[in-house]
């Protein structure tokens, strides 16, 4: 785990509890990953897990990792433009990626740092890894948010809702009601169109709603759960289907950019991209989304 902040450390806690493998957690802040690792190991004595967690400030400690998750970066501060954030996080993740290539050249890499669609591209270029081994976490989180709002509306179990969200991670995400079901029942048979579109809007604004409530920082409980779902698919080679920020090579009419699409995840990373039929409005948003991503990546230096 690169970056031991809110998302990084919470993900490590969840992974440790599942005993999926030994964990190394690194950060630029001295002592912090070491302190959190020690605390998490002591939690294991009480909670009952034997996962080894090493906290460190040295990249060399990630040597030969099977899976690397990047949550390192800074959040947008007041007065900071989106471009400034892109510049800073591209620099951080660019440096992190070079170290991954050096010390863990066979790893599958999951990117979490925002703005996700851009930073995942930076990581793929900077590691030099094949694109199926570098992808981002976005859709699992966004689908989790959509599912929560649907369950709340229907007063049913969240566990029954299977939601699908694709597109960019932000304003241009595309929740897909026609591929969302409740125990196999199409969502559109259960809720009127106006209600669905209200829930879609709330999903698109889902991250911002939490930022506004927290006043500082952003969500980390649901993001860490989403990362673990993807990590588990890779570590256990389950071939389970999740939306992920994946490199498109012609799929959805796009080439050379990353954005959210359903994929099959296994030990090799993104093992297949699944193409869905979309309606006109959804296609339009996807096109807008891809244009804005393409414009930004053509301007950044890697
Ligand atoms: N190498 C390692 N860690 C770094 C580096 C670096 N070069 N630069 C910054 N960090 C660390 C910070 O020290 C901090 O501990 O990254 C951590 C980020 O943690 P938080 O600020 O708590 O942010 P968090 O809420 O965890 O979000 C991390 O995930 O969801 C996204 O938008 C979010 O981009 C953000 C990322």
């Amino acid at each position: 785990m690169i970056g031991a902040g809110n998302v990084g450390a919470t993900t490590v806690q969840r992974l440790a509890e599942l005993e999926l493998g030994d964990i190394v957690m690194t950060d630029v802040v001295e002592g912090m990953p070491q302190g959190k690792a020690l605390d998490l190991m002591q939690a294991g004595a009480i909670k009952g897990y034997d996962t080894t967690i090493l906290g460190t400030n040295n990249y060399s400690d990630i040597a030969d990792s099977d899976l690397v998750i990047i949550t390192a970066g800074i959040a947008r501060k007041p007065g900071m433009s989106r471009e400034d954030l892109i510049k800073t996080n591209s620099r951080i993740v660019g440096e992190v990626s070079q170290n991954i290539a050096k010390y863990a050249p066979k790893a599958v890499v999951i990117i979490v740092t925002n703005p996700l669609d851009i930073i995942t591209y930076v990581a793929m270029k900077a590691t030099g890894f094949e694109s199926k081994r570098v992808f981002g976490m976005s859709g699992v989180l966004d689908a989790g948010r959509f599912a929560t709002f649907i369950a709340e509306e229907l007063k049913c179990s969240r566990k029954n809702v299977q939601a699908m969200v694709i597109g960019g991670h932000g304003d241009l995400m595309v929740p897909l009601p026609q591929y969302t079901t409740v125990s196999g029942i199409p969502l559109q048979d259960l809720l009127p169109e106006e209600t669905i579109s209200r829930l879609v809007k709330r999903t698109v604004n889902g991250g911002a709603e939490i930022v506004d409530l927290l006043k500082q920082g952003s969500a980390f409980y649901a993001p860490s759960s989403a990362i673990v779902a993807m990590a588990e698919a890779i570590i256990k080679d389950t071939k389970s289907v999740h939306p992920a920020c994946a490199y498109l090579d012609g799929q959805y009419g796009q080439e050379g950019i990353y954005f959210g699409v359903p994929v099959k995840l296994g030990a090799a990373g993104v093992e297949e991209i699944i193409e869905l039929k979309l309606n006109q409005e959804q296609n339009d948003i996807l096109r807008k989304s891809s244009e804005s991503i393409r414009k930004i990546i053509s301007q950044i230096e890697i």
Side-chain angles (χ1 to χ4, degrees):
M1 174 63 68
I2 316 284
N6 278 341
V7 178
T10 313
T11 305
V12 169
Q13 178 190 353
R14 296 189 191 286
L15 290 170
E17 288 175 0
L18 290 171
E19 295 187 315
L20 287 174
D22 295 337
I23 303 172
V24 176
M25 173 164 54
T26 174
D27 200 286
V28 279
V29 180
E30 274 179 38
M32 187 265 271
Q34 291 85 342
K36 289 190 179 179
L38 194 56
D39 194 7
L40 281 164
M41 296 266 274
Q42 292 165 359
I46 303 158
K47 175 95 177 129
Y49 56 81
D50 275 319
T51 314
T52 301
I53 306 155
L54 173 72
T56 177
N57 303 113
N58 300 322
Y59 284 112
S60 56
D61 287 321
I62 69 165
D64 300 328
S65 295
D66 300 312
L67 173 65
V68 179
I69 302 164
I70 306 180
T71 65
I74 59 155
R76 183 144 41 140
K77 301 191 176 90
M80 195 178 189
S81 71
R82 188 178 149 88
E83 285 67 36
D84 290 340
L85 179 72
I86 291 171
K87 242 189 222 160
T88 305
N89 281 352
S90 295
R91 186 185 46 72
I92 291 172
V93 171
E95 182 204 307
V96 165
S97 300
Q98 285 166 6
N99 281 291
I100 294 171
K102 183 170 172 192
Y103 294 109
K106 296 202 174 105
V108 166
V109 185
I110 304 179
I111 318 299
V112 183
T113 307
N114 274 313
L116 189 76
D117 311 277
I118 310 297
I119 299 298
T120 308
Y121 181 86
V122 170
M124 189 269 282
K125 288 288 178 193
T127 52
F129 290 178
E130 49 187 336
S131 57
K132 70 173 185 180
R133 277 204 285 144
V134 183
F135 47 92
M137 185 289 290
S138 55
V140 178
L141 169 62
D142 298 328
R145 287 179 173 150
F146 192 26
T148 305
F149 302 145
I150 291 166
E152 213 172 69
E153 190 70 32
L154 289 170
K155 297 185 177 51
C156 76
S157 166
R158 286 190 286 264
K159 292 186 280 188
N160 288 158
V161 187
Q162 290 265 313
M164 179 56 74
V165 178
I166 65 170
H169 187 47
D171 301 347
L172 295 171
M173 81 174 69
V174 189
L176 297 179
Q178 76 270 42
Y179 292 105
T180 296
T181 61
V182 180
S183 287
I185 307 162
L187 182 64
Q188 286 151 324
D189 292 355
L190 296 169
L191 287 173
E193 218 178 294
E194 312 82 70
T195 308
I196 295 177
S197 82
R198 172 166 53 81
L199 304 183
V200 162
K201 277 205 192 90
R202 190 171 175 198
T203 302
V204 173
N205 192 44
E209 182 178 356
I210 290 178
V211 167
D212 286 348
L213 288 166
L214 292 179
K215 310 284 190 297
Q216 55 180 2
S218 48
F220 54 98
Y221 293 114
S224 54
S225 301
I227 300 167
V228 171
M230 295 173 78
E232 203 168 5
I234 293 151
I235 293 164
K236 294 186 179 166
D237 192 23
T238 59
K239 323 282 187 202
S240 56
V241 174
H242 296 284
C245 177
Y247 186 76
L248 300 182
D249 193 15
Q251 299 91 347
Y252 291 86
Q254 298 297 331
E255 222 170 315
I257 61 164
Y258 272 91
F259 72 48
V261 290
V263 302
K264 194 190 281 172
L265 287 182
V270 170
E271 299 189 355
E272 191 186 327
I273 290 176
I274 298 160
E275 288 198 73
L276 302 174
K277 276 204 197 88
L278 306 176
N279 66 30
Q280 187 61 44
E281 189 193 346
Q282 291 163 345
N283 268 320
D284 288 347
I285 305 174
L286 270 199
R287 200 164 324 112
K288 253 199 223 159
S289 182
S290 62
E291 275 163 19
S292 90
I293 294 166
R294 194 178 302 284
K295 200 166 144 210
I296 297 166
I297 58 176
S298 69
Q299 290 163 357
I300 48 172
E301 290 164 32
I302 299 164

